[in-house]
Amino acid sequence: MWIEALQTFDYLEITFALSYVDIANGSIAGQETKTDTLTSEHKCTGHPRKRYYVHGHQETSGIVGAQANITTRTMRLCDEDTVPAKHSAKSVAHIAVVRIVPPHNMWAQLGFKRFRFSGAEAITYTQYYEVASDPTGNDNTKYENSMDPGVPPTGTHNYRCELHRVNGSWHFYFDAAEHVSAPGTWGPWINKSAQKADWTGEIRNQEDQMPGTVDEKCMFTDCKYTLVTTTVVDANFNVFNFATDDANQWQFELTGADSFSIWDTTPNQ
Amino acid sequence: MVACLGVSISARAGDRTSDEGLSARLGTRTVALAEANRTNWRIRDAETALREGVRSLGLADAGARFHSVELVVVENYETPVLESRPGDAPIWHVTIGGWSIPRLETSPVTTKDPFSRTVEMVMDPETSGLLRIRTRWPDGAPRIAPEPGGECVRMQIEESLEIYHRFCSDAPVVSFARAVRVVQESGGPVLVAKQIMGECVVWSYRADAARPVWMVTLRGIPPIDAAYPQVAEDARNHLRYVVDATTGKWLRATTTPQPCEPRLPGLGH
């Protein structure tokens, strides 16, 4: 029997072509394909169930929206020059609202990301939104991840997301214009609100570049969140509203009551 | 007017977890139609149908590949444009085996499609338009949630403010092969997608004008990273790309529609 690896990618799945050889006469007695999982060491230190963050946040009851101006940055991805990609990779800057109902959190987020799938021959740099409600695998599960092609123009742009509680629909705005929308009646979001607003840099692998460098930081300014009363509240950060998964690699600095910057200290690794 | 001499009726899709083939999924029956009744057709014979199918795949000819052509009546398009075609209008059903997607020119020459894909397509004899195309699920590959269809898809599409107006009435300027290439160039994980599907429809999104587009759906791709990994893999292992069928421009990509089962009945949201 011999095994030929047809493809190996980092979502831990490998497909084999198996050929059974009659050792008496060398003829092929049968063939089949099999798919199995494996773990492997690779240059991109990531895991499908883990991501790395540096972010600012505010937690209070009754949050139904968030917004910020975010400076567009281009982020380098882990093992970027290998084609087709052996590893999934991503680097993201976004605003988010999270309803914390462990272990089934619900969320909405909007931002820009540079990413690639394992096995892809090109990198995608795009604006996107993501909404999830009650991701329990039961009848109420709903998840939408949508990309609008096009890199956000250079410079700083406003991102805003807003829940319409009457029908549970999420609305997303780019520079004040309604940019993308995940409408409809999302039952689990009807008359609900969140407890957390996030302003976030996110990567998949440690070697993906977090948005920003020490010379060109990714700036989040005019951060605000919206309450069910429709009151728009300044983020009013203090140092305890920030976190990084590794201060040696991904840093933040408070630049104002409603502003902060993030960057990757080793963007070329 | 249509001389249907139904000679066989294929099995309807019963076990929807198996890859029963496009013909069975659509619920087709073969028909015979006299040459005299084909005067208004652009595709009057099987040879022309095969040639159109080959062209849609970006091939010069069918070569030694397995292929078959039959005239059928579709009983269930399972597409939100079902009402746009009369149920008894015959269409060409073309099957071509051994299709592999070419690598991008920017990829190493060792890059290859790991799958030898069997492609089924249906095309309108009167317009020569390719209505639907679908590769069969690779033998031995792990199964994912069944392809959603029918009313469940229609509801989700409408919730996303998209409208499928009708099937393309003319052969699109951009071939299916070219649309797949656009998805590849946009970072879509085409080569590792276990199944690729396409439909040419006149489509609009929000207030945009309706235009002919290719819906290119990749199924069985590496799952998209969700902010919280408890989102079911079947919610994240597919993407539907929208490609302008006139200009070849990528317009958007989304995980909508989501699997309909086990949300059915009632759709749960």
Side-chain angles (χ1 to χ4, degrees):
Chain A
M1 180 180 78
W2 75 75
I3 300 174
E4 177 190 5
L6 297 179
Q7 54 179 141
T8 58
F9 299 107
D10 72 342
Y11 62 108
L12 311 180
E13 181 177 297
I14 185 167
T15 302
F16 299 102
L18 304 176
S19 298
Y20 300 97
V21 181
D22 187 328
I23 58 175
N25 57 21
S27 64
I28 294 176
Q31 291 180 307
E32 63 176 324
T33 58
K34 280 191 176 298
T35 298
D36 204 346
T37 58
L38 78 167
T39 57
S40 63
E41 296 292 327
H42 48 59
K43 287 188 281 186
C44 296
T45 314
H47 186 278
R49 294 192 177 276
K50 181 167 177 58
R51 277 148 294 278
Y52 303 94
Y53 298 98
V54 52
H55 66 122
H57 60 92
Q58 275 293 4
E59 295 186 25
T60 187
S61 60
I63 295 175
V64 293
Q67 60 183 295
N69 299 323
I70 308 176
T71 311
T72 305
R73 297 295 183 214
T74 302
M75 302 80 78
R76 188 168 175 82
L77 301 179
C78 167
D79 201 17
E80 178 160 323
D81 298 326
T82 298
V83 179
K86 291 187 182 301
H87 318 287
S88 295
K90 74 172 180 181
S91 180
V92 185
H94 65 76
I95 60 167
V97 166
V98 184
R99 177 175 170 80
I100 304 168
V101 280
H104 307 305
N105 295 342
M106 304 179 356
W107 69 91
Q109 62 180 241
L110 169 70
F112 62 87
K113 64 179 174 180
R114 192 162 184 268
F115 82 103
R116 63 155 197 260
F117 290 96
S118 62
E121 298 173 84
I123 290 170
T124 305
Y125 189 16
T126 182
Q127 301 169 56
Y128 82 101
Y129 70 84
E130 184 176 299
V131 182
S133 58
D134 194 20
T136 59
N138 64 24
D139 282 353
N140 287 326
T141 297
K142 187 160 182 174
Y143 172 78
E144 181 167 342
N145 184 313
S146 292
M147 296 174 273
D148 271 19
V151 182
T154 56
T156 299
H157 300 277
N158 183 261
Y159 297 80
R160 178 163 64 96
C161 62
E162 189 175 278
L163 172 65
H164 292 189
R165 298 175 75 229
V166 173
N167 61 8
S169 65
W170 277 97
H171 297 256
F172 301 98
Y173 301 84
F174 179 77
D175 284 342
E178 186 157 14
H179 171 55
V180 286
S181 178
T185 52
W186 288 37
W189 278 108
I190 293 176
N191 291 325
K192 295 293 196 308
S193 62
Q195 306 100 313
K196 188 178 177 187
D198 267 327
W199 298 268
T200 304
E202 174 185 344
I203 56 177
R204 185 181 195 274
N205 306 289
Q206 290 189 46
E207 298 82 0
D208 295 329
Q209 182 195 334
M210 193 67 79
T213 65
V214 68
D215 294 325
E216 293 188 319
K217 294 169 183 170
C218 182
M219 294 176 284
F220 291 73
T221 58
D222 208 17
C223 299
K224 302 176 190 292
Y225 56 91
T226 306
L227 298 174
V228 291
T229 56
T230 69
T231 305
V232 178
V233 181
D234 292 338
N236 197 21
F237 292 126
N238 63 52
V239 71
F240 300 108
N241 296 125
F242 294 91
T244 175
D245 281 341
D246 185 344
N248 291 321
Q249 299 188 70
W250 313 300
Q251 295 195 352
F252 62 85
E253 66 178 358
L254 193 56
T255 55
D258 310 315
S259 306
F260 67 101
S261 297
I262 61 172
W263 68 96
D264 195 316
T265 60
T266 54
N268 296 317
Q269 291 184 4
Chain B
M1 180 165 127
V2 176
C4 288
L5 306 174
V7 292
S8 68
I9 300 175
S10 64
R12 295 296 293 252
D15 175 11
R16 297 188 56 190
T17 62
S18 67
D19 188 26
E20 66 280 5
L22 181 61
S23 179
R25 179 167 176 78
L26 295 175
T28 64
R29 56 189 167 86
T30 56
V31 297
L33 192 65
E35 291 285 341
N37 292 320
R38 304 181 184 182
T39 52
N40 293 330
W41 287 13
R42 293 186 188 175
I43 305 177
R44 296 185 184 180
D45 52 56
E47 289 73 22
T48 308
L50 179 61
R51 194 161 56 244
E52 284 295 319
V54 164
R55 188 187 63 80
S56 296
L57 297 180
L59 303 172
D61 55 56
R65 295 176 177 84
F66 163 79
H67 60 268
S68 68
V69 182
E70 59 183 338
L71 199 57
V72 300
V73 170
V74 172
E75 297 175 337
N76 178 15
Y77 279 96
E78 291 200 333
T79 296
V81 288
L82 172 63
E83 66 283 1
S84 68
R85 279 189 58 84
D88 61 352
I91 54 152
W92 292 106
H93 177 222
V94 178
T95 304
I96 298 175
W99 184 51
S100 293
I101 299 164
R103 65 176 173 86
L104 293 180
E105 291 176 359
T106 51
S107 296
V109 293
T110 53
T111 305
K112 66 175 185 178
D113 186 342
F115 302 110
S116 176
R117 303 174 191 267
T118 298
V119 187
E120 293 183 87
M121 49 192 112
V122 291
M123 58 187 73
D124 188 327
E126 294 185 11
T127 67
S128 75
L130 182 59
L131 303 174
R132 179 175 254 201
I133 187 166
R134 179 176 182 267
T135 66
R136 288 184 185 163
W137 192 262
D139 290 341
R143 307 298 309 188
I144 62 173
E147 173 191 343
E151 180 68 5
C152 174
V153 169
R154 188 188 64 76
M155 289 179 61
Q156 294 188 60
I157 296 292
E158 287 182 0
E159 286 179 354
S160 293
L161 294 186
E162 298 179 66
I163 300 175
Y164 285 24
H165 296 269
R166 59 185 181 276
F167 283 115
C168 296
S169 54
D170 293 304
V173 173
V174 172
S175 70
F176 174 71
R178 176 60 195 152
V180 170
R181 175 55 58 103
V182 168
V183 173
Q184 253 175 305
E185 292 168 344
S186 304
V190 172
L191 294 188
V192 295
K194 295 186 178 69
Q195 186 174 44
I196 301 170
M197 303 189 304
E199 288 177 314
C200 188
V201 298
V202 176
W203 167 90
S204 62
Y205 177 50
R206 300 176 63 85
D208 294 347
R211 63 179 111 184
V213 300
W214 279 107
M215 298 292 175
V216 179
T217 300
L218 308 181
R219 301 184 77 236
I221 62 174
I224 297 168
D225 281 341
Y228 294 89
Q230 68 267 28
V231 178
E233 268 197 17
D234 277 329
R236 304 181 282 123
N237 58 13
H238 60 276
L239 269 175
R240 176 173 56 97
Y241 286 80
V242 185
V243 177
D244 191 306
T246 305
T247 66
K249 184 182 178 186
W250 171 38
L251 300 175
R252 70 188 309 246
T254 177
T255 57
T256 297
Q258 292 280 291
C260 296
E261 300 160 0
R263 292 169 66 209
L264 289 174
L267 303 182
H269 59 263

